[in-house]
Amino acid sequence: MACRIGIDLGTTNSAAAHVDIDGKPEIIPNCEGDNTTPSVVAFEDDAVLVGRAALAQAAVNPQNTVMAIKRHMAEHSYAVKIRDNLYRPQEIAALILRRIKQDTELVLGCEIDEAVVTVPAYFNTAQRAATREAGEIAGLTVRRVLDEPAAAALACKLDEEDRMNLLVFDLGGGTLDISVLRVARGRFSVLSTSGDNHLGGTDFDHQIMQILRRRFEEHTGVGLAEAGPVAAERLREAAEEAKKNLSFKEKTRVSVPFIVPSKALSLDTTLTRAELECECGPLFERTITPINEALQFAKLAAADIDAVILSGGSTRIPKVRTIVSEIFGKEPLARVNPDECVALGAAIAAAEGTTRVTFKTSRTLGIEIKGGAFSTLVPRGSTLPMATEKSYTTSFDNQSVISFPIYQGESSRAARNVLLGEVVVDGIDKAAGGSARVSVTFAMSTEGILEVVAKDIRTGRNVSITLEGAIMSDTERVAAMERVDKLAEKFE
Ligand code: AMP
């Protein structure tokens, strides 16, 4: 039997879900029985570790461990160097996805043929394409790349609403993503996004670790730096554990025996929620600006938001919930676990086959014209699929070639945006500058595949380019698939 699943490919943790035979979405635990798998890959001599085992050895083997690869998706020049091998971000992400595919196949007892993989709403075409590539390299048919906030809303069954504005507050391990969505007649569209790429659970862990470090050093007179990386990692784990406990309790005991085994030095202390809130105060403060920005971009006030969804493990922190409730004057929805809602929504989209998400362009698309200016063809937020045409002219006398560099971004200067490709029309009849006319058509599918056609209007001659956003060539992709297949044989 073949199955379809939804995968939340997260910066810190990933999760998979499916819709069971009774039509109920449910998380598929991994082979260790956990509902989420750390998005961490580690390379050893004869083994490749993914998930909890990779995270556990990260502190003592940082040079062979890759974390938070999602931050680098589609960065052209980025590669991870491990023992003289270079890995593209898609390959590392593919190893995580392959592990999830394998675990899921074992747990469900069926072959996974198709998946919906989620991405942040702000991901551009290239980042979405790189995510799709990662899925394909992992051996999955990626049915759709779906926006995370739309998935969270699907999981909360908000697609059943007639018309409403909703805000998804997603605070995970490493990032804060705010998205404002509109639901109309059962369809979603993303109105705006904002966030902080460097704010998440690990920052809270770090702050709590500072309290623990101070107490350890005061009690023992030994600096943590002297105690070594294993001691620091044990303290970090204790800090994260304490943070999680303080989401449910006002007070928690932190005991880390034998932090420095040779000297029999331990830590035994008590932390309160009030201490956490005080130490992490500036971090909580930083969540407010992106909320206001997202509202401003969507031209809405807090009072216009009908529902707030919390997503991401760090939204279990009571103070985060309080901040959000105070801003919106209402309690966030609590229908689904915040660290599972994205995967559950992706599973619903995978099972439906169609999706009721209205696809919009996340970035403005256009071409570079005379003087380096950026001429917009597809404004940000345009509904897909779409097609649009504009005509351009030669800049100087007897110009026989016009090139149209295609860019994506919001700057009025083309060079400040991201170059996606170029179409070049040659053989233009010699004439005075400004007299020849070339039309440029941009057509974009719901998948974000952009076809650009430039046509010499007098001769009808045309040149086209299709930008799937694919980062790898076919040869590179096949090589990556073979490499991931080989590495997957070493999974432990
Ligand atoms: P995610 O990326 O959504 O899986 O979120 C991961 C982050 O959520 C990690 O930093 C976890 O420490 C954090 N987290 C998970 N459970 C809790 C909890 N009960 N209280 C506070 N933070 C949590």
Side-chain angles (χ1 to χ4, degrees), residues 59-140:
V60 287
N61 186 24
Q63 65 282 12
N64 297 317
T65 306
V66 192
M67 302 174 98
I69 196 66
K70 187 171 168 182
R71 292 191 197 280
H72 303 287
M73 292 306 272
E75 272 178 31
H76 278 277
S77 51
Y78 188 86
V80 182
K81 189 167 180 207
I82 305 249
R83 298 177 169 165
D84 295 331
N85 290 315
L86 288 174
Y87 297 94
R88 306 283 292 274
Q90 296 94 311
E91 291 176 278
I92 301 293
L95 286 166
I96 300 165
L97 292 171
R98 170 62 82 88
R99 180 79 220 214
I100 288 176
K101 177 178 186 289
Q102 281 190 4
D103 277 19
T104 306
E105 286 176 341
L106 274 170
V107 172
L108 293 185
C110 64
E111 197 185 314
I112 305 302
D113 57 347
E114 286 186 355
V116 166
V117 183
T118 56
V119 291
Y122 63 80
F123 255 28
N124 64 26
T125 311
Q127 290 165 307
R128 286 164 195 259
T131 304
R132 182 180 283 277
E133 272 178 356
E136 282 159 9
I137 295 167
L140 290 164

Side-chain angles (χ1 to χ4, degrees), residues 12-13 172-173 201-202 205 240 243-244 247-248 312-314 316-317 339:
T12 328
N13 291 303
T202 46
D205 301 344
E240 182 174 6
K243 171 190 75 175
K244 289 183 182 174
S247 292
F248 307 102
S314 301
R316 290 181 190 266
I317 299 175
D339 32 17

Side-chain angles (χ1 to χ4, degrees), residues 16 60 70 75 80 96 134 145 168 189 206 312 353 358 364 384 419-420 484:
V60 287
K70 187 171 168 182
E75 272 178 31
V80 182
I96 300 165
V145 171
V168 181
S189 53
H206 182 78
T358 299
T364 301
L384 299 176
L419 181 66
L420 298 180
V484 165

Side-chain angles (χ1 to χ4, degrees), residues 432-449:
S435 56
R437 296 224 339 271
V438 176
S439 69
V440 175
T441 309
F442 272 38
M444 200 173 214
S445 70
T446 49
E447 300 294 321
I449 298 168

